[in-house]
């Protein structure tokens, strides 16, 4: 299982770990606790739809991964954003390799 912890308001990946296991929860807690929730870079504020681009980028990265995920689950608190991710923002998944 691959785990990606991110902050949508800051449009920033806090932690990315392939082969995530429960014994790494301390790293997750550390990443979350070290986040300054009241701090947002002004570049983020200059792009009112940057959160959509950021989320699409994360999902497209999963689609392009050498070993793509079978399932992607996004968990988190309710957000202040109301925009929906447009289907065109996601790349088509790569075609499966031909059977040998």
């Amino acid at each position: 299982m691959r785990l990606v912890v991110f902050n949508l308001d800051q449009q920033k990946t806090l932690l990315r770990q392939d082969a995530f296991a429960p014994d790494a929860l301390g790293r997750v807690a550390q990443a979350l606790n070290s986040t300054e929730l009241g701090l947002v870079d002004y570049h983020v504020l200059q792009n009112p739809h940057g959160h959509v681009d950021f989320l699409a980028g994360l999902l497209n990265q999963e689609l392009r991964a050498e070993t793509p995920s079978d399932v992607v689950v996004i968990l988190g608190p309710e957000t202040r954003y109301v925009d929906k991710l447009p289907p065109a923002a996601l790349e088509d998944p790569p075609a499966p390799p031909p059977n040998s």
Side-chain angles (χ1 to χ4, degrees):
M1 176 168 72
R2 181 178 310 118
L3 176 72
V4 179
V5 178
F6 63 92
N7 182 306
L8 193 57
D9 285 335
Q10 295 177 351
Q11 300 169 25
K12 179 177 165 183
T13 299
L14 305 174
L15 173 70
R16 180 179 187 86
Q17 184 172 347
D18 292 327
F20 176 78
D23 62 343
L25 283 173
R27 292 187 67 209
V28 174
Q30 182 181 11
L32 292 173
N33 289 333
S34 66
T35 303
E36 296 182 55
L37 296 176
L39 180 67
V40 177
D41 187 284
Y42 77 94
H43 289 103
V44 170
L45 299 175
Q46 289 177 327
N47 184 358
H49 297 288
H51 60 285
V52 173
D53 297 336
F54 176 77
L55 190 55
L58 284 177
L59 294 172
N60 285 325
Q61 188 175 2
E62 290 304 312
L63 289 170
R64 289 188 309 264
E66 189 173 315
T67 51
S69 301
D70 293 328
V71 175
V72 175
V73 178
I74 299 174
L75 300 173
E78 190 171 331
T79 179
R80 62 186 175 90
Y81 300 112
V82 294
D83 322 48
K84 302 279 186 210
L85 189 65
L90 298 179
E91 299 172 1
D92 289 331
N99 293 334
S100 303

